[in-house]
């Protein structure tokens, strides 16, 4: 769901609701956890007009009795009749599935809805070489990496698009720090992507996300709570993780925008009209709580004591003074645990949503303060991540370099103007090849291009497409014979630096990608060993000879790398004789 508009009374939501309707007004959910909730939706178009859901839960012997009532108003006519039948059918199927789930579980066990991602085998195959490398460097973390892969390969998008390491730690019964460290190493190793969520202090949901700490704003606004808040690394910025796009695309989805599932520390919520008084009967356990209201300042604290205090709490929302927002006021700082009568008086002229929040609810947010203080974070991502001059993004990136062979002779043969025009045309062809394969051009240096990709296969395909595109240009243009392209592609962790508003990549991965490209000959692409070991690239290479592509493993002597040589795969792209370049010779290398 996506919030597209909001007023003091409701939110306008656009999103999927099966066949029923794409847009509706959602009124604040009324709930008293864990006893009851109600949601009301009024649809603006589609076959539904109004949908009200009431759910109550009550003790029943050794279990819980659940009463679930859905009231749906649909449009009239033949379309409405079909929709009414379909709606009943789908709701009925859902309830049957829930009953079967409950009856199948062992007594006293947790309820778990079984789901398996349909492309599980592909995800596991892509992850295998990355996990092997991670386990080789950190053998003790092997069980953690296995669990991460299980989660990425099986769970639905809603569970993997925003993975919280502390939640995973609780689920797995492991230490928070160990799981956080493993997630950071997995990010460096290409399994995960790291994001910095700006978290609302009221609902603990992220109204905004940054990919770099340097992009985190100093303040935020939460449309769900209708509050402004200051952002601090200690409380307002949370590190979350998602699968690397090279493994799996996972979209952050919002289900049931106002549901109490999204705010487990809110124990109650209800609207109070302007100038009205509303009384709510609830039950609270011992601890510290606060009362807050949308569009109001201040969060009034009170304690619930097992032995002290009364059974009534009075709350007042005064009318605002000119230029200010009202502040919540309580008539007592302490009440007794158990049954409680909550009386809210709204002296303001506008309605407010009132929430009772459990202050002792244990946060499962891995804050920026937690993460940046971790030794493994400093070791893996270095101090540059907090540098005022440099912005550092983390994650596994595919780097592609190209070099135009024969460009120097071209300038001598046809003159500066004509040669420059051909070089510019060559750039347009390469930019198009990169874009078509979901990449991004990072920069050009002379007649060379540097590009980045999320998936190794996209980088390999773009490299071949670029060679073929330039070969087509040389066939068509009489000034172009003798021009050819050579390409090198490597994948690994990068530092994403932003200086003077220009994004660039630095680090060992970029250096190795440049050296891999230097080993290529005309109309040839050289892939590093890390590219070769990617499952999708390996399958692509195995099928390439059938398309006339020459594939050959090789070892190259290169200065400045461990062992003094690189394992590579040479991919010779077939072109017509007019395309030029010919076979690779040692003289065709212009850089080392």
């Amino acid at each position: 769901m996506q919030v597209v508009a909001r007023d003091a009374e409701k939110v306008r939501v656009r999103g999927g609701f099966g066949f029923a309707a794409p847009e509706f007004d959602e009124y604040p959910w009324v709930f008293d956890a864990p006893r009851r909730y109600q949601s009301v939706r009024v649809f603006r178009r589609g076959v539904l007009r109004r949908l009200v859901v009431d759910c109550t839960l009550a003790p029943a012997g050794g279990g819980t009795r659940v009463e679930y009532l859905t009231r749906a108003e649909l449009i009239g006519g033949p379309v409405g009749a079909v929709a009414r039948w379909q709606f009943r059918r789908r709701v009925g199927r859902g309830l049957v599935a829930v009953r079967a789930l409950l009856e199948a579980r062992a007594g006293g066990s947790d309820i778990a809805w079984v789901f398996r991602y349909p492309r599980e085998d592909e995800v596991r195959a892509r992850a295998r070489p990355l996990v092997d490398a991670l386990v080789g460097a950190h053998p003790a973390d092997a069980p953690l990496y296995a669990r991460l892969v299980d989660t990425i390969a099986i769970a639905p998008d809603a569970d993997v698009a925003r993975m919280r390491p502390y939640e995973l730690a609780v689920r797995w019964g492991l230490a928070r720090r160990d799981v956080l460290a493993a997630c950071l190493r997995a990010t460096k190793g290409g399994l995960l992507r790291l994001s910095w969520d700006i978290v609302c202090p009221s609902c603990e949901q992220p109204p905004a996300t940054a990919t770099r700490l340097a992009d985190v704003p100093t303040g935020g606004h939460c449309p769900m709570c209708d509050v402004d808040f200051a952002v601090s690394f200690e409380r307002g910025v949370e590190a979350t993780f998602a699968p690397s796009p090279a493994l799996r695309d996972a979209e952050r989805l919002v289900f049931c925008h106002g549901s109490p599932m999204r705010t487990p520390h809110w124990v109650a919520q209800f609207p109070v009209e302007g100038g009205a008084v509303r009384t709510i009967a609830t039950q609270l356990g011992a601890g510290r709580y606060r009362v807050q209201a949308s569009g109001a300042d201040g969060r009034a604290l009170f304690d619930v004591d097992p032995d002290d205090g009364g059974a009534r709490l009075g709350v007042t929302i005064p009318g605002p003074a000119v230029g200010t927002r009202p502040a919540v006021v309580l008539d007592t700082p302490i009440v007794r645990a158990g049954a409680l009568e909550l009386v809210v008086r709204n002296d303001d002229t506008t309605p407010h949503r009132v929430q009772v929040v459990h202050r002792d609810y244990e946060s499962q947010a891995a804050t920026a303060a937690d993460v940046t203080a971790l030794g493994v974070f400093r070791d893996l991502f270095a101090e540059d991540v907090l540098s005022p001059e440099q912005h550092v993004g983390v994650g596994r990136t595919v780097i592609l370099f190209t070099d135009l062979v024969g460009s120097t002779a071209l300038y001598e043969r046809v003159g500066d103007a004509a040669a420059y025009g051909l070089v510019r045309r060559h750039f347009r062809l390469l930019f198009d090849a990169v874009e078509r394969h979901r990449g991004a051009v990072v920069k050009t240096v002379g007649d060379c291009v540097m590009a980045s990709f999320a998936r190794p296969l996209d980088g390999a395909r773009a490299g071949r497409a670029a060679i073929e595109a330039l070969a087509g240009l040389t066939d068509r243009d009489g000034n172009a014979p003798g021009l050819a392209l050579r390409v090198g592609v490597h994948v690994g962790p990068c530092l994403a630096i932003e200086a003077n508003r220009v994004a660039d990549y630095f680090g060992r991965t970029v250096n190795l990608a440049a050296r891999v490209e230097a080993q290529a000959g005309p109309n040839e692409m050289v892939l590093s060993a890390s590219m070769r070991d990617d499952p999708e690239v390996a399958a692509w290479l195995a099928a390439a000879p059938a398309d006339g592509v020459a594939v050959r493993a090789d070892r190259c002597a290169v200065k400045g790398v461990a062992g003094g040589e690189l394992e590579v795969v040479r991919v010779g792209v077939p072109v017509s004789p007019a395309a030029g370049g010919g076979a690779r010779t040692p003289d065709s290398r212009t850089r080392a």
Side-chain angles (χ1 to χ4, degrees):
M1 297 180 176
Q2 178 186 6
V3 175
V4 296
R6 177 183 296 277
D7 58 31
E9 184 184 19
K10 61 187 179 300
V11 295
R12 178 73 46 77
V13 174
R14 181 178 298 132
F17 195 77
F19 69 93
E23 188 171 292
F24 54 87
D25 290 335
E26 178 164 288
Y27 291 80
W29 287 47
V30 178
F31 59 85
D32 173 20
R35 286 166 284 277
R36 57 185 173 271
Y37 69 81
Q38 180 191 75
S39 69
V40 178
R41 293 169 178 169
V42 178
F43 291 80
R44 298 182 59 81
R45 60 174 181 259
V47 298
L48 271 174
R49 287 180 176 170
R50 182 180 177 89
L51 181 67
V52 180
V53 173
D54 281 291
C55 182
T56 60
L57 301 93
T64 302
R65 176 178 176 81
V66 180
E67 295 185 0
Y68 188 89
L69 174 63
T70 300
R71 296 191 294 271
E73 179 184 349
L74 293 93
I75 62 174
V79 174
V82 173
R84 189 172 291 105
W85 170 80
Q86 180 76 309
F87 187 86
R88 287 182 178 141
R89 180 169 173 265
R90 293 187 64 169
V91 172
R93 281 185 172 181
L95 292 176
V96 168
V98 170
R99 179 182 291 276
L101 177 70
L102 294 173
E103 291 176 346
R105 75 187 183 101
S109 65
D110 291 339
I111 299 172
W113 193 277
V114 178
F115 175 90
R116 296 192 82 89
Y117 183 59
R119 302 177 69 180
E120 173 188 351
D121 292 341
E122 296 177 32
V123 174
R124 292 188 184 278
R126 295 170 187 166
R128 192 170 297 116
L130 305 178
V131 171
D132 290 344
L134 286 166
V135 171
H138 303 279
D141 285 343
L144 272 170
Y145 298 134
R147 285 183 166 179
L148 281 174
V149 171
D150 285 343
T151 300
I152 295 170
I154 295 174
D157 276 5
D159 291 345
V160 300
R162 185 176 183 255
M163 293 187 289
R164 307 174 77 197
Y166 290 175
E167 279 187 350
L168 296 177
V170 171
R171 188 186 310 164
W172 297 339
L174 300 173
R176 286 182 166 196
R177 187 170 287 255
D178 291 345
V179 176
L180 175 57
C183 287
L184 291 171
R185 293 191 183 103
T187 299
K188 195 73 170 180
L191 275 179
L192 303 178
R193 287 276 184 174
L194 170 63
S195 295
W196 301 99
D197 291 350
I198 293 80
V199 179
C200 170
S202 172
C203 64
E204 293 193 358
Q205 294 296 311
T209 296
T211 57
R212 301 170 297 190
L213 274 176
D215 292 336
V216 171
T218 58
H221 174 78
C222 179
M224 189 166 104
C225 302
D226 189 23
V227 296
D228 298 318
F229 56 90
V231 174
S232 69
F233 281 6
E234 290 76 17
R235 299 188 62 180
V237 182
E238 178 182 1
T240 60
F241 298 86
S244 167
L247 299 181
R248 171 181 174 181
D249 293 325
E251 182 183 1
R252 287 194 179 190
L253 303 174
V254 176
F255 297 96
C256 297
H257 168 263
S259 165
M261 279 290 291
R262 300 190 65 207
T263 52
H265 54 304
W266 290 8
V267 297
Q269 175 177 255
F270 48 90
V272 183
E273 297 297 323
V277 177
R278 182 162 186 177
T279 301
I280 299 293
T282 186
Q283 294 189 32
L284 296 180
R288 172 156 285 194
Y289 296 79
R290 72 172 181 259
V291 179
Q292 61 190 31
S294 61
D297 290 330
R299 295 176 177 86
L301 299 177
F302 69 97
D303 290 310
V304 177
D305 191 275
D307 306 310
D308 195 9
R312 180 186 183 278
L313 177 65
V315 180
T316 301
I317 304 174
V322 177
T324 65
R325 302 193 338 162
V328 178
V329 179
L330 304 182
D331 67 354
T332 179
I334 188 169
V335 295
R336 187 183 298 274
L340 178 69
E341 184 183 58
L342 189 64
V343 182
V344 180
R345 177 189 179 97
N346 183 10
D347 291 337
D348 195 6
T349 56
T350 61
H352 292 277
R353 284 177 290 125
V354 176
Q355 296 105 19
V356 180
V357 183
H358 193 188
R359 287 270 296 179
D360 293 338
Y361 179 81
E362 182 182 16
S363 173
Q364 294 183 349
T367 66
D370 291 346
V371 177
T372 55
L374 200 63
V376 66
F377 179 81
R378 295 176 181 270
D379 292 342
L380 291 176
F381 306 122
E383 68 279 1
D384 291 326
V385 76
L386 295 178
S387 166
E389 287 115 15
Q390 294 179 324
H391 307 319
V392 181
V394 296
R396 190 175 173 89
T397 303
V398 180
I399 300 295
L400 174 146
F401 277 104
T402 71
D403 188 21
L404 186 60
V405 178
S407 59
T408 301
L410 176 69
Y411 278 90
E412 293 292 334
R413 187 172 68 250
V414 302
D416 290 348
Y420 178 74
L422 278 170
V423 171
R424 297 298 299 174
R425 290 170 65 189
H426 134 271
F427 278 143
R428 286 195 294 270
L429 293 172
L430 268 56
F431 290 0
D432 178 67
V434 169
E435 183 178 351
R436 282 190 289 109
H437 292 86
R438 297 180 289 186
V441 173
V442 179
K443 62 182 177 182
T444 63
V445 179
D447 53 21
C448 303
V449 171
M450 175 183 174
S452 64
F453 302 83
R455 295 174 59 185
L457 182 59
D458 289 336
R461 285 175 169 169
R464 176 180 175 179
I467 292 174
E468 291 173 340
L470 182 65
L473 174 64
T474 61
D475 282 342
R476 295 188 302 271
D477 195 303
N479 290 327
L483 290 182
L485 201 68
R486 61 188 195 186
V487 179
V489 194
H490 177 54
V491 59
C494 285
L495 300 180
I497 311 295
E498 185 175 294
N500 298 321
R501 296 190 174 184
V502 177
D504 204 345
Y505 289 92
F506 291 90
R508 186 170 180 270
T509 294
V510 177
N511 294 337
L512 279 175
R515 295 188 176 217
V516 167
E517 179 271 310
Q519 304 306 310
N523 300 316
E524 183 179 55
M525 175 171 59
V526 174
L527 305 179
S528 68
S530 59
M531 286 286 296
R532 173 204 63 197
D533 294 339
D534 178 81
E536 288 186 327
V537 174
W540 182 74
L541 289 172
D547 199 24
V549 176
V551 177
R552 178 171 63 89
D554 196 8
R555 303 179 76 93
C556 305
V558 178
K559 296 180 180 179
V561 300
E565 64 179 13
L566 292 175
E567 289 187 36
V568 299
V569 173
R570 299 187 178 278
V571 180
V573 179
V575 297
S576 68
R584 178 187 179 279
T585 67
D587 292 338
S588 67
R589 289 181 290 173
T590 60
R591 290 184 296 163

